[in-house]
mmCIF file of all heavy atoms in Angstrom:
data_model
loop_
_atom_site.group_PDB
_atom_site.id
_atom_site.type_symbol
_atom_site.label_atom_id
_atom_site.label_comp_id
_atom_site.label_asym_id
_atom_site.label_seq_id
_atom_site.Cartn_x
_atom_site.Cartn_y
_atom_site.Cartn_z
ATOM 1 N N VAL A 3 -7.879 12.759 -12.990
ATOM 2 C CA VAL A 3 -7.247 12.632 -14.323
ATOM 3 C C VAL A 3 -7.581 11.289 -14.953
ATOM 4 O O VAL A 3 -7.922 11.199 -16.138
ATOM 5 C CB VAL A 3 -5.725 12.803 -14.204
ATOM 6 C CG1 VAL A 3 -5.055 12.632 -15.569
ATOM 7 C CG2 VAL A 3 -5.393 14.160 -13.616
ATOM 8 N N ASN A 4 -7.477 10.208 -14.198
ATOM 9 C CA ASN A 4 -7.766 8.863 -14.703
ATOM 10 C C ASN A 4 -8.327 8.024 -13.561
ATOM 11 O O ASN A 4 -7.577 7.460 -12.761
ATOM 12 C CB ASN A 4 -6.490 8.213 -15.260
ATOM 13 C CG ASN A 4 -6.772 6.826 -15.849
ATOM 14 O OD1 ASN A 4 -7.887 6.321 -15.781
ATOM 15 N ND2 ASN A 4 -5.732 6.216 -16.419
ATOM 16 N N PRO A 5 -9.639 7.928 -13.469
ATOM 17 C CA PRO A 5 -10.259 7.184 -12.353
ATOM 18 C C PRO A 5 -10.001 5.691 -12.407
ATOM 19 O O PRO A 5 -10.233 4.989 -11.424
ATOM 20 C CB PRO A 5 -11.752 7.494 -12.512
ATOM 21 C CG PRO A 5 -11.924 7.878 -13.939
ATOM 22 C CD PRO A 5 -10.644 8.550 -14.351
ATOM 23 N N ASP A 6 -9.509 5.174 -13.554
ATOM 24 C CA ASP A 6 -9.265 3.742 -13.701
ATOM 25 C C ASP A 6 -7.780 3.381 -13.594
ATOM 26 O O ASP A 6 -7.374 2.279 -13.937
ATOM 27 C CB ASP A 6 -9.792 3.248 -15.048
ATOM 28 C CG ASP A 6 -11.305 3.418 -15.174
ATOM 29 O OD1 ASP A 6 -12.002 3.174 -14.179
ATOM 30 O OD2 ASP A 6 -11.759 3.831 -16.264
ATOM 31 N N ALA A 7 -6.975 4.309 -13.133
ATOM 32 C CA ALA A 7 -5.536 4.083 -13.062
ATOM 33 C C ALA A 7 -5.204 2.929 -12.118
ATOM 34 O O ALA A 7 -5.843 2.758 -11.068
ATOM 35 C CB ALA A 7 -4.813 5.346 -12.602
ATOM 36 N N VAL A 8 -4.199 2.143 -12.494
ATOM 37 C CA VAL A 8 -3.679 1.092 -11.625
ATOM 38 C C VAL A 8 -2.731 1.746 -10.612
ATOM 39 O O VAL A 8 -1.815 2.470 -10.994
ATOM 40 C CB VAL A 8 -2.917 0.033 -12.441
ATOM 41 C CG1 VAL A 8 -2.292 -1.015 -11.515
ATOM 42 C CG2 VAL A 8 -3.854 -0.630 -13.433
ATOM 43 N N ILE A 9 -2.983 1.510 -9.344
ATOM 44 C CA ILE A 9 -2.205 2.177 -8.290
ATOM 45 C C ILE A 9 -1.257 1.176 -7.642
ATOM 46 O O ILE A 9 -1.686 0.152 -7.085
ATOM 47 C CB ILE A 9 -3.132 2.767 -7.201
ATOM 48 C CG1 ILE A 9 -4.228 3.624 -7.825
ATOM 49 C CG2 ILE A 9 -2.316 3.565 -6.190
ATOM 50 C CD1 ILE A 9 -3.704 4.811 -8.632
ATOM 51 N N LEU A 10 0.050 1.469 -7.726
ATOM 52 C CA LEU A 10 1.062 0.634 -7.063
ATOM 53 C C LEU A 10 1.723 1.424 -5.977
ATOM 54 O O LEU A 10 2.121 2.588 -6.174
ATOM 55 C CB LEU A 10 2.114 0.165 -8.089
ATOM 56 C CG LEU A 10 1.633 -0.733 -9.244
ATOM 57 C CD1 LEU A 10 2.818 -1.127 -10.126
ATOM 58 C CD2 LEU A 10 0.905 -1.960 -8.716
ATOM 59 N N LEU A 11 1.862 0.824 -4.824
ATOM 60 C CA LEU A 11 2.550 1.441 -3.699
ATOM 61 C C LEU A 11 4.000 0.984 -3.701
ATOM 62 O O LEU A 11 4.290 -0.195 -3.496
ATOM 63 C CB LEU A 11 1.867 1.029 -2.380
ATOM 64 C CG LEU A 11 2.479 1.616 -1.111
ATOM 65 C CD1 LEU A 11 2.190 3.098 -0.993
ATOM 66 C CD2 LEU A 11 1.928 0.883 0.120
ATOM 67 N N GLU A 12 4.925 1.916 -3.969
ATOM 68 C CA GLU A 12 6.347 1.568 -3.976
ATOM 69 C C GLU A 12 6.869 1.642 -2.541
ATOM 70 O O GLU A 12 6.890 2.699 -1.924
ATOM 71 C CB GLU A 12 7.116 2.551 -4.853
ATOM 72 C CG GLU A 12 8.594 2.176 -4.964
ATOM 73 C CD GLU A 12 9.387 3.222 -5.730
ATOM 74 O OE1 GLU A 12 9.680 4.289 -5.145
ATOM 75 O OE2 GLU A 12 9.710 2.963 -6.900
ATOM 76 N N THR A 13 7.300 0.510 -2.033
ATOM 77 C CA THR A 13 7.736 0.455 -0.645
ATOM 78 C C THR A 13 8.730 -0.677 -0.461
ATOM 79 O O THR A 13 9.185 -1.285 -1.435
ATOM 80 C CB THR A 13 6.523 0.307 0.289
ATOM 81 O OG1 THR A 13 6.918 0.460 1.644
ATOM 82 C CG2 THR A 13 5.840 -1.036 0.102
ATOM 83 N N SER A 14 9.073 -0.962 0.773
ATOM 84 C CA SER A 14 10.050 -2.014 1.073
ATOM 85 C C SER A 14 9.434 -3.050 1.997
ATOM 86 O O SER A 14 8.419 -2.792 2.668
ATOM 87 C CB SER A 14 11.286 -1.413 1.753
ATOM 88 O OG SER A 14 10.938 -0.919 3.042
ATOM 89 N N ILE A 15 10.082 -4.196 2.057
ATOM 90 C CA ILE A 15 9.586 -5.237 2.935
ATOM 91 C C ILE A 15 9.701 -4.805 4.413
ATOM 92 O O ILE A 15 8.843 -5.139 5.238
ATOM 93 C CB ILE A 15 10.339 -6.570 2.679
ATOM 94 C CG1 ILE A 15 9.655 -7.725 3.415
ATOM 95 C CG2 ILE A 15 11.817 -6.466 3.049
ATOM 96 C CD1 ILE A 15 10.174 -9.070 2.992
ATOM 97 N N ASP A 16 10.713 -4.018 4.746
ATOM 98 C CA ASP A 16 10.857 -3.537 6.114
ATOM 99 C C ASP A 16 9.730 -2.592 6.500
ATOM 100 O O ASP A 16 9.203 -2.649 7.601
ATOM 101 C CB ASP A 16 12.209 -2.824 6.291
ATOM 102 C CG ASP A 16 13.373 -3.797 6.321
ATOM 103 O OD1 ASP A 16 13.142 -4.971 6.683
ATOM 104 O OD2 ASP A 16 14.499 -3.401 5.988
ATOM 105 N N ALA A 17 9.339 -1.707 5.557
ATOM 106 C CA ALA A 17 8.241 -0.793 5.828
ATOM 107 C C ALA A 17 6.934 -1.556 5.985
ATOM 108 O O ALA A 17 6.113 -1.247 6.865
ATOM 109 C CB ALA A 17 8.129 0.230 4.710
ATOM 110 N N LEU A 18 6.717 -2.570 5.163
ATOM 111 C CA LEU A 18 5.516 -3.399 5.290
ATOM 112 C C LEU A 18 5.469 -4.090 6.655
ATOM 113 O O LEU A 18 4.424 -4.217 7.282
ATOM 114 C CB LEU A 18 5.470 -4.448 4.188
ATOM 115 C CG LEU A 18 5.241 -3.943 2.756
ATOM 116 C CD1 LEU A 18 5.378 -5.081 1.772
ATOM 117 C CD2 LEU A 18 3.888 -3.270 2.626
ATOM 118 N N ARG A 19 6.646 -4.519 7.110
ATOM 119 C CA ARG A 19 6.719 -5.218 8.387
ATOM 120 C C ARG A 19 6.428 -4.255 9.553
ATOM 121 O O ARG A 19 5.719 -4.602 10.494
ATOM 122 C CB ARG A 19 8.112 -5.830 8.541
ATOM 123 C CG ARG A 19 8.258 -6.722 9.770
ATOM 124 C CD ARG A 19 9.695 -7.181 9.939
ATOM 125 N NE ARG A 19 10.087 -8.166 8.954
ATOM 126 C CZ ARG A 19 11.015 -7.985 8.012
ATOM 127 N NH1 ARG A 19 11.629 -6.806 7.934
ATOM 128 N NH2 ARG A 19 11.333 -8.932 7.181
ATOM 129 N N ARG A 20 6.962 -3.042 9.470
ATOM 130 C CA ARG A 20 6.809 -2.091 10.584
ATOM 131 C C ARG A 20 5.428 -1.448 10.643
ATOM 132 O O ARG A 20 4.979 -1.059 11.728
ATOM 133 C CB ARG A 20 7.856 -0.974 10.465
ATOM 134 C CG ARG A 20 9.283 -1.417 10.675
ATOM 135 C CD ARG A 20 10.184 -0.225 10.941
ATOM 136 N NE ARG A 20 10.053 0.802 9.916
ATOM 137 C CZ ARG A 20 10.799 0.865 8.808
ATOM 138 N NH1 ARG A 20 11.707 -0.056 8.572
ATOM 139 N NH2 ARG A 20 10.613 1.851 7.946
ATOM 140 N N HIS A 21 4.770 -1.343 9.493
ATOM 141 C CA HIS A 21 3.527 -0.568 9.445
ATOM 142 C C HIS A 21 2.357 -1.446 8.997
ATOM 143 O O HIS A 21 1.620 -1.100 8.064
ATOM 144 C CB HIS A 21 3.684 0.624 8.507
ATOM 145 C CG HIS A 21 4.828 1.534 8.856
ATOM 146 N ND1 HIS A 21 4.789 2.361 9.955
ATOM 147 C CD2 HIS A 21 6.027 1.738 8.263
ATOM 148 C CE1 HIS A 21 5.929 3.051 10.017
ATOM 149 N NE2 HIS A 21 6.682 2.698 9.025
ATOM 150 N N SER A 22 2.185 -2.551 9.647
ATOM 151 C CA SER A 22 1.138 -3.509 9.238
ATOM 152 C C SER A 22 -0.266 -2.916 9.328
ATOM 153 O O SER A 22 -1.117 -3.167 8.458
ATOM 154 C CB SER A 22 1.232 -4.792 10.088
ATOM 155 O OG SER A 22 1.114 -4.480 11.457
ATOM 156 N N LYS A 23 -0.539 -2.110 10.366
ATOM 157 C CA LYS A 23 -1.875 -1.525 10.509
ATOM 158 C C LYS A 23 -2.145 -0.517 9.402
ATOM 159 O O LYS A 23 -3.261 -0.451 8.871
ATOM 160 C CB LYS A 23 -2.013 -0.860 11.882
ATOM 161 C CG LYS A 23 -2.042 -1.853 13.036
ATOM 162 C CD LYS A 23 -2.249 -1.140 14.354
ATOM 163 C CE LYS A 23 -2.309 -2.141 15.520
ATOM 164 N NZ LYS A 23 -2.485 -1.463 16.816
ATOM 165 N N GLU A 24 -1.137 0.286 9.050
ATOM 166 C CA GLU A 24 -1.323 1.255 7.981
ATOM 167 C C GLU A 24 -1.560 0.560 6.639
ATOM 168 O O GLU A 24 -2.406 0.984 5.849
ATOM 169 C CB GLU A 24 -0.082 2.161 7.877
ATOM 170 C CG GLU A 24 0.068 3.151 9.031
ATOM 171 C CD GLU A 24 0.751 2.544 10.243
ATOM 172 O OE1 GLU A 24 0.955 1.297 10.271
ATOM 173 O OE2 GLU A 24 1.069 3.300 11.170
ATOM 174 N N VAL A 25 -0.830 -0.526 6.410
ATOM 175 C CA VAL A 25 -1.007 -1.288 5.171
ATOM 176 C C VAL A 25 -2.441 -1.831 5.083
ATOM 177 O O VAL A 25 -3.080 -1.767 4.022
ATOM 178 C CB VAL A 25 0.005 -2.433 5.076
ATOM 179 C CG1 VAL A 25 -0.272 -3.316 3.866
ATOM 180 C CG2 VAL A 25 1.426 -1.890 5.008
ATOM 181 N N GLU A 26 -2.938 -2.329 6.180
ATOM 182 C CA GLU A 26 -4.305 -2.855 6.197
ATOM 183 C C GLU A 26 -5.313 -1.768 5.848
ATOM 184 O O GLU A 26 -6.261 -2.012 5.095
ATOM 185 C CB GLU A 26 -4.607 -3.431 7.584
ATOM 186 C CG GLU A 26 -5.954 -4.119 7.669
ATOM 187 C CD GLU A 26 -6.188 -4.785 9.009
ATOM 188 O OE1 GLU A 26 -5.260 -4.793 9.836
ATOM 189 O OE2 GLU A 26 -7.301 -5.297 9.217
ATOM 190 N N SER A 27 -5.101 -0.542 6.345
ATOM 191 C CA SER A 27 -6.034 0.535 6.078
ATOM 192 C C SER A 27 -5.936 1.032 4.628
ATOM 193 O O SER A 27 -6.858 1.679 4.121
ATOM 194 C CB SER A 27 -5.806 1.695 7.046
ATOM 195 O OG SER A 27 -4.540 2.289 6.833
ATOM 196 N N MET A 28 -4.827 0.762 3.948
ATOM 197 C CA MET A 28 -4.641 1.191 2.555
ATOM 198 C C MET A 28 -5.155 0.172 1.541
ATOM 199 O O MET A 28 -5.240 0.481 0.360
ATOM 200 C CB MET A 28 -3.137 1.403 2.276
ATOM 201 C CG MET A 28 -2.491 2.508 3.026
ATOM 202 S SD MET A 28 -0.726 2.519 2.574
ATOM 203 C CE MET A 28 -0.153 3.882 3.593
ATOM 204 N N ARG A 29 -5.451 -1.005 1.992
ATOM 205 C CA ARG A 29 -5.662 -2.139 1.090
ATOM 206 C C ARG A 29 -6.728 -1.874 0.034
ATOM 207 O O ARG A 29 -6.623 -2.320 -1.112
ATOM 208 C CB ARG A 29 -5.989 -3.373 1.919
ATOM 209 C CG ARG A 29 -5.623 -4.679 1.246
ATOM 210 C CD ARG A 29 -5.662 -5.811 2.234
ATOM 211 N NE ARG A 29 -4.560 -5.768 3.157
ATOM 212 C CZ ARG A 29 -4.650 -6.106 4.454
ATOM 213 N NH1 ARG A 29 -5.794 -6.508 4.958
ATOM 214 N NH2 ARG A 29 -3.587 -6.027 5.240
ATOM 215 N N ASP A 30 -7.775 -1.141 0.390
ATOM 216 C CA ASP A 30 -8.864 -0.897 -0.556
ATOM 217 C C ASP A 30 -8.523 0.194 -1.562
ATOM 218 O O ASP A 30 -9.273 0.387 -2.526
ATOM 219 C CB ASP A 30 -10.134 -0.498 0.207
ATOM 220 C CG ASP A 30 -10.688 -1.652 1.051
ATOM 221 O OD1 ASP A 30 -10.373 -2.814 0.725
ATOM 222 O OD2 ASP A 30 -11.417 -1.379 2.017
ATOM 223 N N SER A 31 -7.397 0.876 -1.346
ATOM 224 C CA SER A 31 -7.060 2.010 -2.203
ATOM 225 C C SER A 31 -5.975 1.709 -3.237
ATOM 226 O O SER A 31 -5.763 2.523 -4.132
ATOM 227 C CB SER A 31 -6.586 3.198 -1.338
ATOM 228 O OG SER A 31 -7.583 3.566 -0.385
ATOM 229 N N ILE A 32 -5.306 0.596 -3.115
ATOM 230 C CA ILE A 32 -4.200 0.287 -4.024
ATOM 231 C C ILE A 32 -4.390 -1.085 -4.665
ATOM 232 O O ILE A 32 -5.099 -1.952 -4.140
ATOM 233 C CB ILE A 32 -2.840 0.359 -3.308
ATOM 234 C CG1 ILE A 32 -2.829 -0.557 -2.080
ATOM 235 C CG2 ILE A 32 -2.491 1.766 -2.922
ATOM 236 C CD1 ILE A 32 -1.506 -0.535 -1.326
ATOM 237 N N ASP A 33 -3.733 -1.265 -5.810
ATOM 238 C CA ASP A 33 -3.890 -2.501 -6.571
ATOM 239 C C ASP A 33 -2.738 -3.468 -6.361
ATOM 240 O O ASP A 33 -2.822 -4.631 -6.759
ATOM 241 C CB ASP A 33 -4.005 -2.182 -8.052
ATOM 242 C CG ASP A 33 -5.238 -1.343 -8.365
ATOM 243 O OD1 ASP A 33 -6.345 -1.830 -8.127
ATOM 244 O OD2 ASP A 33 -5.073 -0.194 -8.837
ATOM 245 N N GLY A 34 -1.645 -2.999 -5.775
ATOM 246 C CA GLY A 34 -0.511 -3.885 -5.549
ATOM 247 C C GLY A 34 0.642 -3.147 -4.931
ATOM 248 O O GLY A 34 0.651 -1.923 -4.786
#
């Protein structure tokens, strides 16, 4: 639909803390 869309991952600091490896693998796919 929009290849230039800004992608934000809505999450929590606890989820970021628990899933550090998953966050690293997502880094190239999201803008913030």
Side-chain angles (χ1 to χ4, degrees):
V3 178
N4 182 357
D6 298 320
V8 176
I9 309 300
L10 297 182
L11 180 71
E12 184 185 77
T13 189
S14 67
I15 191 169
D16 287 335
L18 291 174
R19 187 186 288 114
R20 292 196 308 270
H21 304 289
S22 58
K23 290 183 179 179
E24 289 84 351
V25 174
E26 185 176 355
S27 65
M28 294 178 181
R29 206 166 288 143
D30 293 337
S31 303
I32 56 180
D33 298 297

